Amino acid sequence: AVGASPSANPADAALAIYRRHDMSKTLGRLRAVHEVAEFYAEYTRELSARVRVLETAAARAIRSADEAGRQSLRSGDAAFAHADRADGLDAALAAERGVSASLRKQLCRAEAQLATERDESALQHAAELGRLAVVGG
């Protein structure tokens, strides 16, 4: 087939082939029919090759889209896991703050108790010194 191209209009190409031959003679008609058949065979092969290329490209695009979807799901799952961990850390931090506040209160009470005991001890010591001064005096 002469110049078969998938971009060419096959009907126009076949008509051009018929016009090149003397259709008034049997041999001319046979040659024209044979050449048109060759053209269509080549045209079909080229279209089939283009279809295979397009099918391959489509399959790659589908695989890429599928992988992108899986990656998106993994990213979403990871984001949810990070959010869960962050919530857990926030809860742990709040609990630590609560414990810390409780420990500060206990420390303040202990310091107040210690100061009271020191004051009472100082008073007792002063009273004892006063008593000894009166008894010894």
Side-chain angles (χ1 to χ4, degrees), residues 32-81:
V33 168
H34 180 71
E35 196 173 323
V36 167
E38 285 180 351
F39 166 76
Y40 275 111
E42 178 66 21
Y43 184 79
T44 301
R45 280 191 295 276
E46 289 184 22
L47 284 179
S48 294
R50 289 180 88 187
V51 165
R52 283 190 301 276
V53 167
L54 290 174
E55 285 173 340
T56 300
R60 285 183 186 142
I62 289 168
R63 282 192 302 272
S64 292
D66 190 40
E67 178 57 31
R70 282 194 297 274
Q71 182 65 31
S72 177
L73 285 174
R74 284 191 297 265
S75 295
D77 290 346
F80 281 120

Side-chain angles (χ1 to χ4, degrees), residues 16-24 27-29 31-32 35:
I17 291 169
Y18 281 121
R19 286 185 179 150
R20 283 197 308 262
H21 293 280
D22 182 3
M23 298 303 285
S24 65
L27 186 57
R29 285 192 301 272
R31 284 185 181 153
E35 196 173 323

Side-chain angles (χ1 to χ4, degrees), residues 61-109:
I62 289 168
R63 282 192 302 272
S64 292
D66 190 40
E67 178 57 31
R70 282 194 297 274
Q71 182 65 31
S72 177
L73 285 174
R74 284 191 297 265
S75 295
D77 290 346
F80 281 120
H82 288 306
D84 285 344
R85 278 195 293 276
D87 287 345
L89 290 174
D90 285 344
L93 182 58
E96 284 295 320
R97 285 183 180 148
V99 167
S100 178
S102 175
L103 289 174
R104 276 194 303 274
K105 285 179 187 175
Q106 289 176 8
L107 180 61
C108 286
R109 278 190 226 122

